[in-house]
Amino acid sequence: MQKSKEDVVRDLDAKVKKMTGYQAEAKLSIKTGAELQEYDVDIWHSKPTYYRVNLKNSKKDQSQIILRNADGVFVLTPALNKSFRFQSDWPQNSSQSYLYESLVRDVLKDKEATFKSTDDYYVFQTKTNYQNHNMIPKQEITFSKKDLAPVGVKLMDNDSNVLVEVKFSKVKFDAKFDKGAFDMKKNMSGAQMEVPTAAKEDKPFAILYPNDVPKGMKQKEEKQLQTSNGKRVILTYGDSKKSFTLIQEKAKAAPTSAPISVSGEPVDLGFTVGALTENSVTWAHNGVDYTLAAKGLTPDELLTVARSVYEKASK
């Protein structure tokens, strides 16, 4: 007998309530820029609130870990020996395309979600709840009929172009974890054995320009300053009402891995995890630190600009 949408929603809800956690592996593809970016994602979750999400960029030996344990929410960048600590209710505060219970929550929340059943899968289309949901307002989520495990997620723009895709290759419910699985220091030292710490060589970095700025805003200025750490580049953009400044400089590996407290929320920029406050976003990528500070931009606009700073644009 075919199950109705209501039956499947009820089953998903019961599954999330009953499970003690899970371990999953997935491939994350991001198609928002000219270059496709791909990540291997390793997800651990132990109920109620322990998480470890390890994002590895297949090409660039970059890895980042988002960790949530009894001490808070951390973002670790092993290659720079850096960890940031957030006072945040991540991942409860927005959609997370690679977390099972977040996908189920989006299905439960959207009373107008569409549903279809195929031979092997249940497929839902729902609204998303992202910080920049204007860019990716909807998603298609596929669950396996056999055990309701997540199979794939497609995040789409208003024209149904797929901008982000997650494909799950392995999901193990009620997985058991070692005692230190969610410990910050253990995760940092474990990841550093896999990823070489950033080399000390002073290679000049390529200046990146945002490919997507709010309508009417133009580049006003570009300044280069010499600092003890090499060059610092300051780009200023604006129009009559709004402005933003983008600062780029070589990231230095931290001498100790004591966590740096950050105000704001961890945000997924696609190519890296950054920190979003009311008027700024900061992140590190490919050995460069970026700070984007704005006046008069909405969080949506701020994130759109930040997300567009990741490849050498033709000026």
Side-chain angles (χ1 to χ4, degrees), residues 1-8 11 115 117 122 145:
M1 192 176 107
Q2 280 288 9
K3 287 197 167 187
S4 71
K5 174 183 158 185
E6 289 68 29
D7 294 335
V8 178
D11 292 348
F115 167 77
S117 175
Y122 297 123
K145 273 189 168 175

Side-chain angles (χ1 to χ4, degrees), residues 50-67:
Y50 280 33
Y51 288 90
R52 175 185 177 276
V53 177
N54 189 354
L55 293 147
K56 273 193 214 140
N57 180 327
S58 31
K59 279 207 308 267
K60 300 198 174 85
D61 304 333
Q62 288 235 353
S63 101
Q64 265 185 320
I65 297 171
I66 311 173
L67 202 61

Side-chain angles (χ1 to χ4, degrees), residues 149-163:
V151 175
V153 186
K154 291 175 180 171
L155 301 179
M156 295 174 282
D157 64 14
N158 278 316
D159 302 321
S160 295
N161 298 311
V162 177
L163 300 183

Side-chain angles (χ1 to χ4, degrees), residues 5 8-9 12 107 114-115 123-126 139-141 143:
K5 174 183 158 185
V8 178
V9 168
L12 285 165
V107 168
T114 64
F115 167 77
V123 184
F124 286 88
Q125 200 172 51
T126 81
Q139 60 190 348
E140 184 185 277
I141 308 168
F143 297 101

Side-chain angles (χ1 to χ4, degrees), residues 77 79-82 197-200 202 227-230 249-255 260 284 287-289:
T77 306
L80 294 171
N81 197 29
K82 276 187 184 164
T197 303
K200 299 286 174 277
D202 266 341
T227 67
S228 56
N229 193 23
E249 57 192 314
K250 203 162 177 57
K252 278 216 314 242
I260 303 155
V288 180
D289 277 334

